[in-house]
Amino acid sequence: MIETHKRQKADENQLNIFDFLLTAKRNKKPLFIINICVGLLTVLYITLTEPSFRAKAVVTPPTPSDLIEFNAIIRVLNQIAIEDEKRESPEYMLRELSTDDAFNLFKRHLSSEKNLDTFLESEYTKNKNITKTEKEKIKTQAKEKILILNPKEQELKNIEINLENKNPEEAENRASTFINLAIQSSHEETIQTLKSAIELHLKINELKIETLRESAEKNRISEIERIKNAYQQAKKIDLESPAMGGNLITSYSGENMYLRGYKALEAELVILKNRKSNDPYIKSLPTLLSQNKTLNKLDATLIRGRLVNIDSSPTAPTTPYKPNILICIIIGVGIGILLSILFIITTISYKRYKDLNKEI
């Protein structure tokens, strides 16, 4: 009997749907007041919260045609390197830009601290007479308003850039500035790489030309000395001209140079001494000079290629990102329901507590 009585008491203490609905019916007014208060607070939050707008832009990889001008210069430089076997090593050869290479370069600049600091300095802290601590605080808050969404590897290679601001027009302008800074810095890096490669090839060619000219001048002076010695030998034996017949020697160079006769040697001395330039006698010089002429005409700064395409430019948003009215309403309704449930449970528990005390 005692066990049965305890079981009955336990069943009575369990919360059932009938007690829940009955309590809700008896407390319509308090529940109505709770939900009205929650609704008013939700409306108050939406009304008092300053709206924040988010400008969005989407960028995509470049097309192969966007990279034609970059790769045209790279091909010229690589062709020059191939013409010289010593420069056929990787340190002199440039890899042509692929669409992935160009887009990865842009992404690196877009996410770089340098690009971010330049943007924050120009848009948030420029010309503001504030302390370094305050400046860092402003930058930290501004960083939270920039969202860069990178795609997954299996999805389209698009990047979405979002920038939040209280003013829709300012959000648009700042988003454009942020993207353009990354485009500019990545373009400048590529141009600088090409300029450095051009300057390197020019420097190597100039050193080769200088070495070849010095070597040619030394050869000219040495040749003059050899001809002088041969001239003296020919004078001693009074050999005015080469022998016309009976001479088995077919080469008049080296030790046999004197056999040319002193008249021919004297004429050659005059030509060598009066020579103003050795360039016509340097075999590889025309190729090097032609390369330099080409290199000097290459101007990487004139390249108008693109490393990225803006698929969707930032535009001034018309609806605020925060507060989101729909989400606020859903949260308000959820809080109202939760508070109502807690109120009903508390009411039932309190009633049972009072009933228990009466029995005692």
Side-chain angles (χ1 to χ4, degrees):
M1 291 292 292
I2 295 172
E3 288 295 326
T4 304
H5 180 70
K6 286 183 178 179
R7 196 178 297 113
Q8 289 176 350
K9 282 290 182 184
D11 291 340
E12 289 176 1
N13 289 332
Q14 288 181 354
L15 183 64
N16 56 64
I17 190 67
F18 178 76
D19 289 338
F20 189 89
L21 293 175
L22 186 61
T23 305
K25 186 177 180 181
R26 289 174 179 175
N27 294 275
K28 287 180 181 179
K29 189 175 180 180
L31 293 175
F32 178 75
I33 293 171
I34 288 172
N35 283 279
I36 285 296
C37 290
V38 171
L40 289 173
L41 288 173
T42 303
V43 172
L44 191 64
Y45 171 78
I46 294 172
T47 306
L48 296 180
T49 302
E50 188 178 3
S52 183
F53 297 86
R54 177 176 279 184
K56 184 180 80 171
V58 177
V59 294
T60 59
T63 62
S65 60
D66 293 326
L67 304 174
I68 285 178
E69 293 187 36
F70 295 106
N71 288 330
I73 290 183
I74 291 174
R75 289 190 196 103
V76 172
L77 294 174
N78 288 343
Q79 184 59 39
I80 289 174
I82 290 171
E83 288 174 2
D84 187 341
E85 293 179 359
K86 294 178 182 177
R87 275 184 271 170
E88 231 176 324
S89 53
E91 63 228 58
Y92 293 109
M93 301 284 284
L94 291 174
R95 191 177 73 174
E96 290 188 25
L97 276 174
S98 67
T99 54
D100 286 342
D101 292 335
F103 200 51
N104 288 333
L105 176 63
F106 167 76
K107 286 196 289 186
R108 178 165 59 82
H109 281 270
L110 185 70
S111 305
S112 70
E113 285 295 322
K114 182 180 178 181
N115 184 66
L116 188 59
D117 286 342
T118 303
F119 168 71
L120 296 175
E121 181 68 30
S122 63
E123 294 295 321
Y124 291 90
T125 60
K126 189 178 181 181
N127 300 326
K128 288 187 178 180
N129 190 17
I130 55 178
T131 63
K132 187 176 180 180
T133 305
E134 290 173 327
K135 186 177 288 189
E136 290 301 319
K137 185 178 179 181
I138 292 173
K139 285 184 177 182
T140 302
Q141 292 172 346
K143 283 181 182 180
E144 296 174 356
K145 300 181 184 297
I146 301 171
L147 178 64
I148 301 172
L149 299 175
N150 289 306
K152 295 179 181 178
E153 291 182 3
Q154 297 175 348
E155 296 177 356
L156 292 173
K157 296 179 179 180
N158 298 341
I159 297 179
E160 184 180 308
I161 299 109
N162 296 277
L163 193 140
E164 189 179 325
N165 198 275
K166 304 296 182 185
N167 185 299
E169 286 77 17
E170 200 166 332
E172 175 190 358
N173 294 334
R174 286 183 171 175
S176 296
T177 301
F178 182 66
I179 295 169
N180 289 333
L181 277 173
I183 292 174
Q184 180 183 349
S185 58
S186 55
H187 188 272
E188 286 176 353
E189 181 181 326
T190 307
I191 296 302
Q192 187 56 49
T193 300
L194 294 177
K195 286 176 66 178
S196 298
I198 293 170
E199 290 170 3
L200 176 64
H201 282 292
L202 277 170
K203 186 175 181 181
I204 293 173
N205 276 4
E206 290 297 338
L207 287 172
K208 288 174 68 66
I209 290 170
E210 183 180 351
T211 302
L212 287 171
R213 282 174 171 165
E214 287 176 356
S215 178
E217 180 60 18
K218 287 179 181 178
N219 290 337
R220 186 184 73 88
I221 293 171
S222 298
E223 186 68 9
I224 288 173
E225 291 301 316
R226 285 194 293 271
I227 292 175
K228 279 182 179 180
N229 292 334
Y231 174 80
Q232 291 173 358
Q233 282 184 282
K235 269 289 189 183
K236 283 181 181 180
I237 62 174
D238 196 26
L239 181 63
E240 184 177 351
S241 301
M244 296 302 295
N247 190 354
L248 298 177
I249 297 173
T250 57
S251 175
Y252 291 159
S253 60
E255 294 180 354
N256 299 322
M257 190 183 292
Y258 71 95
L259 294 175
R260 298 180 189 176
Y262 63 81
K263 277 192 174 183
L265 293 170
E266 185 178 15
E268 194 168 347
L269 272 174
V270 172
I271 292 172
L272 282 173
K273 287 180 179 179
N274 292 332
R275 183 189 292 175
K276 294 181 180 180
S277 174
N278 297 311
D279 288 0
Y281 304 92
I282 303 174
K283 186 178 180 180
S284 58
L285 187 61
T287 301
L288 292 172
L289 291 175
S290 176
Q291 288 178 359
N292 277 8
K293 189 176 180 179
T294 301
L295 290 168
N296 282 316
K297 287 183 177 180
L298 293 178
D299 190 351
T301 59
L302 298 178
I303 291 178
R304 293 295 176 264
R306 291 191 300 268
L307 300 174
V308 67
N309 283 314
I310 300 177
D311 185 63
S312 175
S313 299
T315 54
T318 55
T319 55
Y321 167 72
K322 293 179 183 177
N324 190 310
I325 296 175
L326 180 61
I327 292 176
C328 288
I329 291 172
I330 292 171
I331 292 173
V333 171
I335 292 173
I337 292 171
L338 180 62
L339 290 176
S340 298
I341 292 171
L342 289 174
F343 176 81
I344 293 170
I345 292 172
T346 305
T347 303
I348 294 172
S349 300
Y350 178 70
K351 182 178 180 300
R352 288 179 177 178
Y353 175 74
K354 284 176 66 178
D355 292 343
L356 181 64
N357 285 339
K358 285 180 181 180
E359 290 178 5
I360 295 172

